[in-house]
Amino acid sequence: NAGVTQTPKFQVLKTGQSMTLQCAQDMNHEYMSWYRQDPGMGLRLIHYSVGAGITDQGEVPNGYNVSRSTTEDFPLRLLSAAPSQTSVYFCASGQGTTFTGELFFGEGSRLTVL
Amino acid sequence: AQSVSQHNHHVILSEAASLELGCNYSYGGTVNLFWYVQYPGQHLQLLLKYFSGDPLVKGIKGFEAEFIKSKFSFNLRKPSVQWSDTAEYFCAVRAGGFKTIFGAGTRLFVKA
């Protein structure tokens, strides 16, 4: 009963490097999303997807790319990391066709950009 | 733009004290409301949710919340907190579409 799985759990990057945060869910949820969590700012939505091939921007999309080729996977790409992207990233999934806003979260990925 | 405001950023209580965490949102239409909890070092878990019906909803671990539409509020309550309730609590709102918007969070510390 894995739920939402994120990898890696910890990552340190240098400014300008690229990386991909992986997210997979086994609940057959059509909706998947990425949030970043920063102290005092709660969770802010980066990108979301309502199904394979469909993605859209959230509140803070700049500097991040996503794609959705399968129902299960929703990777988040940082093409050129910046110190402002130091954060904890959470992937979350939910029912798509009847999206209520209820989300199921992964355990998070802590990213530090030097 | 839709927003969610949580009144207290940090709350310190002694065990057995009563808890009330405030949450207000800015959206005039139909909303779905949530409280999530994040225990130290863990991911967010759903505490309770409100979609429709009885505005007083009960969640896990003795928590409850009351939806007051006229005040755009969804406050979280617990009659008697325990040390194990030490965590960060997030109010969240889905106000149409596919976005769930979160408040800034309230860190609760319960003294044993």
Side-chain angles (χ1 to χ4, degrees):
Chain A
N1 193 352
V4 179
T5 303
Q6 293 181 231
T7 56
K9 288 186 169 44
F10 300 94
Q11 183 71 48
V12 179
L13 291 178
K14 295 182 180 178
T15 297
Q17 287 185 317
S18 63
M19 78 156 300
T20 299
L21 298 177
Q22 301 290 346
C23 177
Q25 53 91 12
D26 62 1
M27 296 175 283
N28 203 31
H29 285 163
E30 294 185 356
Y31 181 90
M32 296 185 75
S33 57
W34 278 100
Y35 286 83
R36 58 178 290 171
Q37 182 182 23
D38 301 291
M41 303 189 75
L43 280 79
R44 292 180 292 168
L45 181 63
I46 304 171
H47 285 286
Y48 65 95
S49 168
V50 297
I54 307 170
T55 63
D56 206 345
Q57 297 181 349
E59 303 168 86
V60 288
N62 293 340
Y64 307 95
N65 282 349
V66 292
S67 60
R68 184 93 178 271
S69 56
T70 67
T71 299
E72 294 78 19
D73 301 297
F74 190 45
L76 179 71
R77 297 183 185 84
L78 286 71
L79 297 180
S80 180
S84 61
Q85 294 178 304
T86 293
S87 188
V88 180
Y89 292 86
F90 286 98
C91 180
S93 70
Q95 297 286 349
T97 52
T98 56
F99 184 66
T100 62
E102 182 175 351
L103 298 170
F104 299 81
F105 284 87
E107 294 191 351
S109 299
R110 183 176 293 275
L111 174 65
T112 301
V113 183
L114 303 175
Chain B
Q2 299 137 16
S3 65
V4 179
S5 298
Q6 292 185 236
H7 306 160
N8 309 97
H9 294 300
H10 293 91
V11 173
I12 300 174
L13 295 173
S14 297
E15 274 194 315
S18 64
L19 170 72
E20 181 160 3
L21 302 181
C23 173
N24 287 90
Y25 60 92
S26 64
Y27 184 72
T30 302
V31 293
N32 291 349
L33 299 160
F34 308 88
W35 276 97
Y36 286 85
V37 60
Q38 185 179 31
Y39 297 104
Q42 296 188 25
H43 64 287
L44 279 79
Q45 305 168 43
L46 183 68
L47 205 54
L48 49 77
K49 59 189 178 185
Y50 173 80
F51 294 167
S52 63
D54 189 343
L56 185 62
V57 294
K58 296 189 183 299
I60 61 172
K61 304 186 180 185
F63 286 90
E64 65 179 30
E66 184 176 14
F67 170 52
I68 303 179
K69 188 174 181 179
S70 61
K71 295 185 177 180
F72 300 90
S73 69
F74 190 55
N75 292 354
L76 180 71
R77 299 196 291 249
K78 185 172 185 179
S80 176
V81 295
Q82 302 172 318
W83 176 81
S84 58
D85 293 324
T86 293
E88 189 160 16
Y89 293 82
F90 294 93
C91 181
V93 176
R94 182 240 174 184
F98 292 97
K99 298 180 182 179
T100 301
I101 306 300
F102 285 78
T106 298
R107 288 184 181 269
L108 171 66
F109 179 72
V110 180
K111 297 184 290 183

